[in-house]
Amino acid sequence: DATSPDLSAFERRGGKIILYQGWADPVVSAPDTIAYYERMSAATPRAAKFSALFLVPGMGHCSGGPGATDFSSGADASGNVTLALQDWVEKGAKPDRILAVHRQGRQPGAAALFSRPLCAWPQRVQYKGSGDVTNAVNFTCR
């Protein structure tokens, strides 16, 4: 049942899960996903050990949109959600932030127009107050 918040069997098998949700998703609302994640955390007390939720500003349903929505084409775990999950499973390195970029085109090789960190819930991205607003290094997770 995809709506059950009890992931204890998944946890017992050693599973790791990264959930992501676009704030601009017209199909599934971000508040509903946050509510599910909170129910999951309540139903499975150690959920924080095997799960992470990343909310993506400006992303529609699963991809696209005006935000930094490409977080799957980076060369390493810092900017590639698949490699981040792999590192978590194989090396125990749970991601707390993933670099996302907004590209000029939809192709992975297209020029990056701006970048932002995606922060693991409940943290949120915050501008440090100085520096180029198109560069993720000038943002932090709080």
Side-chain angles (χ1 to χ4, degrees):
D1 185 350
T3 61
S4 174
D6 182 2
L7 297 185
S8 55
F10 180 75
E11 175 192 17
R12 282 191 301 276
R13 289 191 304 271
K16 306 283 189 253
I17 186 169
I18 294 176
L19 301 129
Y20 66 89
Q21 169 71 50
W23 275 109
D25 189 331
V27 179
V28 179
S29 78
D32 285 348
T33 300
I34 293 166
Y36 170 79
Y37 190 76
E38 298 297 329
R39 285 191 316 275
M40 181 188 72
S41 297
T44 314
R46 293 173 305 278
K49 300 235 185 255
F50 69 85
S51 67
L53 169 62
F54 292 87
L55 299 169
V56 187
M59 188 173 82
H61 189 66
C62 299
S63 66
T69 60
D70 179 355
F71 48 97
S72 63
S73 62
D76 62 28
S78 68
N80 186 314
V81 69
T82 302
L83 296 177
L85 182 60
Q86 181 177 330
D87 273 7
W88 190 8
V89 169
E90 295 177 358
K91 300 175 186 173
K94 181 181 176 183
D96 60 358
R97 134 186 200 138
I98 297 174
L99 178 68
V101 298
H102 181 83
R103 297 196 180 277
Q104 187 168 0
R106 300 269 315 205
Q107 300 302 318
L113 299 178
F114 64 90
S115 60
R116 293 285 184 280
L118 301 177
C119 307
W121 177 260
Q123 292 190 331
R124 296 180 184 182
V125 68
Q126 183 176 17
Y127 179 56
K128 291 178 181 178
S130 64
D132 183 354
V133 297
T134 67
N135 192 329
V137 300
N138 298 310
F139 293 81
T140 189
C141 292
R142 294 198 191 279

